[in-house]
Amino acid sequence: MNYKFLPFLFLVFLLSFTAKVSLMESTFKTNEFATNVANPIAMVKNETDNIKEKSELLYCEIQPEGFSLPELEIFTKAFEGYTALETQGKIKNNILTIIDFSLSSTKERMWVIDMLNKKVILQTLVSHGIKSGKEFAKSFSNQNESYKSSLGFFLTGETYIGKHGISLKLDGLEFGLNDKARERAIVIHGAEYVSKKLANRQGYLGRSQGCPAVATAIAPKLIQTIKNKSVLFIYHPTRMYVNKSKLAS
């Protein structure tokens, strides 16, 4: 054998082996990309799982500050929408307010959460619309003069002084679900009928014309805290909302 050719043969073998490895890596990446493109359901599931994991971690870090926390499932839905809106650059005030309309109106079913400092600022009573139900809210609407509450994600707007004193305008972010909030004059305001004493006496809280009203004493501080582009999420497990929402799965 002519040993002079050995280095040359070894170099040829090395280059050939390197090319095969590169081809295999390229094929793997191409197949992985093709699999993801061909299976968007898997991509959505991975994203949903990631949101769920992040929300669970954050949920465990939030300090109740003497209050309770909303259910984890509801917080996860709220966090999902909050994250999407934050990515879109729509949030200017890092407060997340959650209302759970699956609970009795006699319960403190509104939570105000400081997302930067990871703590609950407030938990309080909140009314639903007079035609949404009595003790429990069961029916919801986006229509004018329905006197029903709307569900979903809102951004808080500017304040004004009205017949209920300082009030806070809301912008509904979900088409067909709450996007007529401004048109319907759905705002956060104080009301005398939001009273624990009244709820205990009659078995349900006083109701509004569709606004999430709070106690008169609570309203000024609450409104100053959450005004100017913070997120409000109003929850109920009705399929009507789950099937239509683009912000919460």
Side-chain angles (χ1 to χ4, degrees), residues 24 28 37 61 80 84-86 101 104 109 117 126 128 130 133 153 159 170 186 210 224 237-238:
M24 289 173 64
F28 175 77
V37 171
E61 292 176 357
E80 182 180 2
L85 294 170
E86 187 175 44
F101 273 158
S104 164
R109 53 187 180 168
N117 294 306
V126 61
H128 56 252
I130 193 168
F153 288 90
T159 64
L170 300 172
I186 301 300
Q224 291 298 333
T238 175

Side-chain angles (χ1 to χ4, degrees), residues 105-106 125 193 195-206:
S105 64
T106 64
L125 297 170
Y193 53 75
S195 160
K196 193 70 173 178
K197 186 181 294 185
L198 176 63
N200 290 337
R201 185 169 70 243
Q202 65 184 18
Y204 57 93
L205 200 64

